[in-house]
Amino acid sequence: MSSLLTLQRKIKTVISPYHELLCSLHVLHQPQHHPKRLHWARELTAQMPHSLCEEIQTIGRISDGWLSLMTPVRPGSSLTCSEGIALLKSLPDAEFMHLLLNSKVSLGTILEWQQGRLTNPHGEQPDEAGLYLLKNLKDVRHLLLAVLETYEREYFRKEWDYIAPWISTAATQFQADVIRSAEKALNSLHPRLLAGSGTFTAQKAVTYYFPYDRLQQVYVLPSTFIHPHLLMDWSEDTLTLPLAVDIPGLPYSEAPPEDLLRQLKALGDGSRLRILKLLWQAPHCTKQLAPLLGISEAAVSKQLKQLVEAGLAGSERKGNYLFYFCNKEAFDSLINLQRQFFEQ
């Protein structure tokens, strides 16, 4: 059997209202990153109680913009909203925390933390988010479930009724395209996803490679919200990819995201770039930075303030001094933000 025929049989399009529910909450959390849904987000938040808008932002900040909640079970499950919410309710505390932390911390480590072993020199110690969840997990779960149930009932259910035919049509068309040419169909999913020569190549902050013969299943999830993100998930033998679904007539914003503008502006200064280079190497306080840069501590503080506001730097108090560090993950995000804007 040819590798392309085998690939064709591995591809399955999955329609999941729960997945689309979370995609819509991700848009509400960061609307400026989604020009095709920006007008929708602004109109909807104008209708919502301010308290619900704030709660959506709160949960978004501790769940990777709601994206970490997308895989509570085996990838490729066609979950209704009620099924997905019920699964979140049923998860043991350690698994729920594992999910919120985007599976970046092992279950074994989380169980050790929950038993009070936070300073094991041979294990991973909790960061600020981990410490917060350890202390407030019950309240976080209660708030998250309340937000999901209220938002789904009062707002998303009506939206799903409207978008479901578009999603179903797109899913059917994509599966038909797969039958005609699996690689051509996959190459249509996103500008930074390439299928060819027996390998998937995905360009994010780094480039990932997925040989066809190592994959047992490729799931494709259609969404009217996720454009322009290359939203992927993978395990040892499974790959999950996005299918952006267009809705005709939606208003479209050409404006660049505000956080992209802030970061590029913060980088557009020689002194701030020199500060970032020093912080990249090691944390520094203003007293250390001033003589290295040949400027006053007050001038250093002014530049650091802009870097922190842009999300490129952070700070941590150690004794009497406030040490600043470079937020290296922000530079990975910046690469994606630029690509997403230019690809729109």
Side-chain angles (χ1 to χ4, degrees):
M1 186 181 296
S2 73
S3 61
L4 290 181
L5 183 57
T6 303
L7 172 65
Q8 181 191 103
R9 295 181 177 181
K10 293 177 179 179
I11 300 170
K12 179 183 178 183
T13 308
V14 179
I15 296 175
S16 171
Y18 174 73
H19 176 269
E20 189 72 336
L21 170 74
L22 294 176
C23 287
S24 72
L25 285 162
H26 172 71
V27 169
L28 292 173
H29 177 64
Q30 294 182 319
Q32 70 274 16
H33 293 174
H34 301 269
K36 292 187 177 182
R37 280 295 194 168
L38 181 59
H39 182 75
W40 169 86
R42 287 174 174 169
E43 282 198 334
L44 190 60
T45 51
Q47 301 170 25
M48 288 180 174
H50 179 71
S51 58
L52 180 58
C53 295
E54 286 296 311
E55 288 162 354
I56 289 171
Q57 294 301 317
T58 297
I59 298 299
R61 285 191 289 271
I62 57 178
S63 63
D64 193 20
W66 290 90
L67 299 181
S68 68
L69 300 167
M70 288 187 171
T71 54
V73 291
R74 183 176 59 83
S77 299
S78 181
L79 292 176
T80 65
C81 294
S82 59
E83 288 170 341
I85 294 171
L87 276 169
L88 291 178
K89 287 181 180 179
S90 68
L91 285 178
D93 283 350
E95 292 184 31
F96 182 67
M97 185 170 170
H98 176 68
L99 194 67
L100 281 172
L101 294 174
N102 217 1
S103 305
K104 293 178 181 178
V105 181
S106 71
L107 274 172
T109 298
I110 291 172
L111 287 168
E112 285 193 352
W113 292 351
Q114 290 178 331
Q115 293 167 10
R117 296 198 289 270
L118 304 181
T119 57
N120 183 346
H122 303 293
E124 184 176 355
Q125 297 183 8
D127 58 11
E128 184 178 349
L131 289 171
Y132 177 82
L133 289 174
L134 284 170
K135 185 178 179 180
N136 302 284
L137 193 61
K138 182 178 179 180
D139 291 339
V140 168
R141 191 198 292 254
H142 177 78
L143 177 62
L144 187 152
L145 293 172
V147 170
L148 280 173
E149 290 171 343
T150 300
Y151 171 71
E152 190 279 330
R153 181 181 62 250
E154 302 295 332
Y155 303 99
F156 181 75
R157 196 172 297 177
K158 180 179 179 181
E159 181 68 16
W160 176 256
D161 288 341
Y162 174 66
I163 64 179
W166 299 105
I167 288 178
S168 178
T169 300
T172 301
Q173 181 60 56
F174 179 79
Q175 208 63 49
D177 292 342
V178 168
I179 294 173
R180 284 192 288 271
S181 172
E183 286 188 334
K184 186 175 180 180
L186 291 167
N187 284 328
S188 72
L189 290 175
H190 197 278
R192 285 183 277 119
L193 181 68
L194 176 66
S197 302
T199 302
F200 290 109
T201 304
Q203 294 180 343
K204 293 174 76 69
V206 297
T207 301
Y208 298 93
Y209 301 94
F210 304 94
Y212 298 167
D213 58 7
R214 295 186 184 178
L215 294 170
Q216 295 299 316
Q217 197 74 59
V218 179
Y219 296 110
V220 177
L221 276 72
S223 171
T224 65
F225 288 97
I226 209 58
H227 173 86
H229 290 346
L230 176 51
L231 182 63
M232 299 172 55
D233 191 29
W234 61 88
S235 60
E236 186 176 342
D237 62 358
T238 302
L239 183 63
T240 303
L241 301 171
L243 169 60
V245 179
D246 280 328
I247 298 180
L250 283 183
Y252 182 82
S253 172
E254 295 282 357
E258 293 178 5
D259 51 353
L260 175 60
L261 290 174
R262 278 196 302 271
Q263 291 183 343
L264 292 177
K265 183 177 179 181
L267 292 171
D269 176 87
S271 293
R272 289 195 290 274
L273 281 174
R274 289 177 66 198
I275 290 172
L276 282 171
K277 184 176 181 180
L278 290 166
L279 298 184
W280 190 282
Q281 296 165 356
H284 288 70
C285 66
T286 56
K287 188 177 289 293
Q288 294 169 322
L289 288 169
L292 293 172
L293 297 167
I295 57 178
S296 68
E297 284 190 53
V300 172
S301 295
K302 183 179 179 181
Q303 302 288 14
L304 284 167
K305 182 175 184 290
Q306 191 162 344
L307 292 172
V308 171
E309 289 175 348
L312 299 174
S315 63
E316 182 181 6
R317 183 164 293 281
K318 295 181 180 179
N320 295 326
Y321 296 97
L322 192 63
F323 280 79
Y324 291 85
F325 57 87
C326 183
N327 182 7
K328 295 182 179 181
E329 290 185 358
F331 288 86
D332 292 339
S333 299
L334 179 58
I335 293 171
N336 288 331
L337 280 176
Q338 292 176 87
R339 285 175 170 171
Q340 286 167 186
F341 177 68
F342 292 130
E343 289 166 355
Q344 292 168 14

